[in-house]
Amino acid sequence: MRYFSGKNAFILGTHARRILIILGCITALASCSSGDQRNPFKDEDPSSFPPGPVTQVSASGVDGGILVEWFGFVTATEYRVYWSDTPGVTKQNGNLATFDNSPGTITGLTNGTTYYAIVTAANNFGESEDSAEVQAVAMQQPPAPATGVIAEPGNSEVTIEWNDLPDADSYSVFWGTNPGGGGTEVANVTSPYVVTGLTNSQTYYLSVTGTNAAGQGSPSRVVEATPVAPVPGWTAQTEINTPFSGLGNRATLEDVAINDSGVAAALWRANQSQFGVIARLVINHTATGDWGEQFVLSTADESASVIVTPAGDIHVASDDSATVRSRRYTNGAWEDATVIRDDSSVTDSFGVELAVDDLGNVFLCWVEDTIPPGVSNLESTHTLWVSRFDATTEAWEAPQAISTSLSWIRSPKITAGASNTAIVSWLQDSVAHDVNNPSPPDQRVVYASRYDGVAWQSADVVGRNDLMNLDNGEELVIAGNDAGSAVVLWTQTRSATGTPDALQIEAVRYDAGMSQWSAPENIVDGVTPAFRPDITLNAANTSLAAWVFNNNNLPSSSAFDPVAALWGATTDIPTDFLSGGDPYGIESGESGAPVVAWGKEFQSPKGVFIRQFDAGTGTWGATSHLGGRIGDQLLFAMSDNGHAIVMTRARVLQREDFNNVVYGSVFTP
């Protein structure tokens, strides 16, 4: 008779059968005896005897050992495995290992060697007879199937995740349209892994295998997912942050980015308490129009920038005092931060900016401020630095200083072309400050440098080179296209106008086809001060410059005609009424259809609004209202094919004082 207890089994052997026979006889005798006669065996049970021998013993090799399995007796309190590297193992000549249950693993053995083993069961009354001898060769086995496998659909992609295996050195993901699994293998990946380039609405079946020196293991269970395209149009304003607790929390919007697949990223800095006791750099992103959970990247950062590569990777660069670092989101997870530069002699870093080309190469610029110990900050030196992330090697190159000023460098901005080219432009003061003059005159002019696919070229003045005292460049912006052309726009104080405080709008263009910069061009004469410039550039080299006059509540604009090589007349962009502090932004993809986004805080209705230019009719289209949450900050970005993102912040009065909430909206063409 066989009984089972969990995985272990036991068999009633000779002793047990004898007990049953004796008990039967005693029962018969008792029925014939008087009620006072005692049964000397009535308190005995099978557990009062040694367990019977184990059965179904087997052995298999593992890395550096053997694994022995068996079925045993329920009355056993332990199992003893006797083993040796020679056959004929007995209790007397074998090495002993004890286990509570089956299976038992003998470790510390030599791979490639055959080992022999027998198993016995034991309890307080003794030890069973020996089992049959088994043998196995110690050797590493391929990993077992991975567990915890799940698949999440995205836009033209699926993310697959699994639990790491203790004996796997690498993993492969299999994907295809066969419900049985298999298909295309992607080797040497880690969890989570994103399979891209898929067809929306098509169901895909995925599995994962682990590999080690012994080979590739069996595949995991097959999981399925169906990529889904986001619904065309703008999503509603969505709260994408969870404000930190504490009085005086404030969020400062840093940057937004989006690629042609609709992968978007929103970056902001959150200060806890009104004194900025803790400053966190926080990000949220979406690949399907549905925002995820915010992720804290680091603390105590001062400036930061974000980009999304064509493949959907996200790069964030930031500075913390004198340290500049970068983090990358790839294959569904954030990598550890990479320190780009950390010089103890540097007092501070600022102005971090990123750009990415169509190959996934990332370009970074920032400014370092160096003040020697014991001197005035008027004796500081500013240096513009650049670095490049090579998409082929997946590593940052050594940073390079490309310009130094004995006074100020401001507003560094960078843009990238399609094929490993980039342009960085900035404002630089050409006059060293006088340490005896607490209010020295500024003469900041526009500089630029270009990465030509091999190296950064020398820094050159591309703005006005005839500045006088109090002539000062401010608020520089840049836009580029895939061809490598670019337009730089800025405000310029020009004493030549007779009004030293007048702010005029100036531009300079880089023509990639001719490999040269244009002369600086005056768009607005500065009789009426202009400020808050913005610029777009499309594939046809058509530009739209925008700014705000201080006597107007509408953004004004001028379009550059590349055929006539002229800037057009000033016209208002129809954004309804804006107050002086209401933010706005303009963008255009390579297709050339500019879009303006703006926010209204105090008018009715308030909120975020969008309007797109119709190139066919030459007019601006209807206004779209995205939602009613808007503060004094708005960031707007658009990809080449028209995907767009708008990020705003608003104060929610029912929460703690000064607590800012961040909102995001994305557009799918």
Side-chain angles (χ1 to χ4, degrees), residues 252-457:
T252 302
L253 306 187
E254 291 288 346
D255 203 2
V256 292
I258 193 166
N259 71 0
D260 282 347
S261 298
V263 179
L267 182 69
W268 66 94
R269 188 172 65 253
N271 287 355
Q272 181 174 334
S273 93
Q274 57 188 337
F275 303 107
V277 174
I278 302 176
R280 299 177 176 91
L281 190 64
V282 189
I283 193 168
N284 200 334
H285 71 278
T286 176
T288 62
D290 297 324
W291 292 93
E293 296 293 329
Q294 68 180 29
F295 184 82
V296 178
L297 294 170
S298 59
T299 59
D301 293 278
E302 298 178 3
S303 66
S305 181
V306 63
I307 57 90
V308 181
T309 71
D313 289 352
I314 300 171
H315 289 257
V316 174
S318 62
D319 72 272
D320 180 4
S321 187
T323 303
V324 175
R325 57 174 59 89
S326 175
R327 289 190 75 172
R328 180 172 66 148
Y329 179 88
T330 184
N331 292 328
W334 285 99
E335 296 178 339
D336 292 336
T338 297
V339 174
I340 307 298
R341 182 169 158 80
D342 184 11
D343 188 341
S344 59
S345 67
V346 174
T347 305
D348 192 19
S349 299
F350 62 91
V352 170
E353 291 282 333
L354 286 172
V356 62
D357 68 10
D358 283 358
L359 301 177
N361 299 303
V362 179
F363 300 87
L364 166 66
C365 69
W366 72 96
V367 179
E368 291 182 352
D369 184 8
T370 303
I371 305 175
V375 302
S376 164
N377 60 1
L378 291 180
E379 297 180 76
S380 69
T381 298
H382 280 189
T383 303
L384 181 72
W385 287 82
V386 292
S387 186
R388 174 180 171 273
F389 178 86
D390 190 308
T392 301
T393 63
E394 295 190 321
W396 284 94
E397 297 174 348
Q400 178 182 349
I402 59 175
S403 188
T404 298
S405 170
L406 295 178
S407 50
W408 308 121
I409 291 179
R410 290 287 189 271
S411 301
K413 296 293 185 296
I414 195 165
T415 184
S419 301
N420 202 23
T421 61
I423 293 176
V424 58
S425 186
W426 64 97
L427 293 163
Q428 180 168 321
D429 201 328
S430 58
V431 178
H433 284 171
D434 183 355
V435 297
N436 297 315
N437 184 355
S439 300
D442 293 331
Q443 293 183 18
R444 287 196 288 271
V445 300
V446 179
Y447 280 70
S449 176
R450 181 174 177 270
Y451 186 83
D452 62 4
V454 178
W456 287 96
Q457 299 176 349

Side-chain angles (χ1 to χ4, degrees), residues 22 156 666:
I22 293 172
S156 300
V666 294

Side-chain angles (χ1 to χ4, degrees), residues 77-199:
T77 57
E78 72 174 16
Y79 296 92
R80 300 170 182 175
V81 177
Y82 298 89
W83 61 273
S84 175
D85 58 1
T86 57
V89 180
T90 66
K91 297 173 184 175
Q92 290 72 35
N93 65 18
N95 301 290
L96 175 62
T98 60
F99 302 96
D100 292 335
N101 289 293
S102 173
T105 302
I106 311 297
T107 60
L109 306 185
T110 303
N111 282 340
T113 300
T114 301
Y115 292 90
Y116 306 84
I118 60 172
V119 183
T120 66
N123 61 17
N124 292 334
F125 296 94
E127 186 175 4
S128 74
E129 299 173 2
D130 299 349
S131 72
E133 185 177 86
V134 293
Q135 66 183 58
V137 179
M139 64 175 61
Q140 185 176 20
Q141 301 292 326
T147 61
V149 182
I150 59 173
E152 295 291 339
N155 180 23
S156 300
E157 65 184 30
V158 170
T159 300
I160 181 171
E161 299 182 55
W162 61 90
N163 297 329
D164 285 339
L165 297 169
D167 55 348
D169 298 325
S170 64
Y171 300 91
S172 290
V173 166
F174 292 83
W175 64 271
T177 56
N178 184 352
T184 301
E185 179 181 5
V186 186
N188 298 316
V189 298
T190 57
S191 177
Y193 179 73
V194 182
V195 182
T196 60
L198 305 181
T199 301

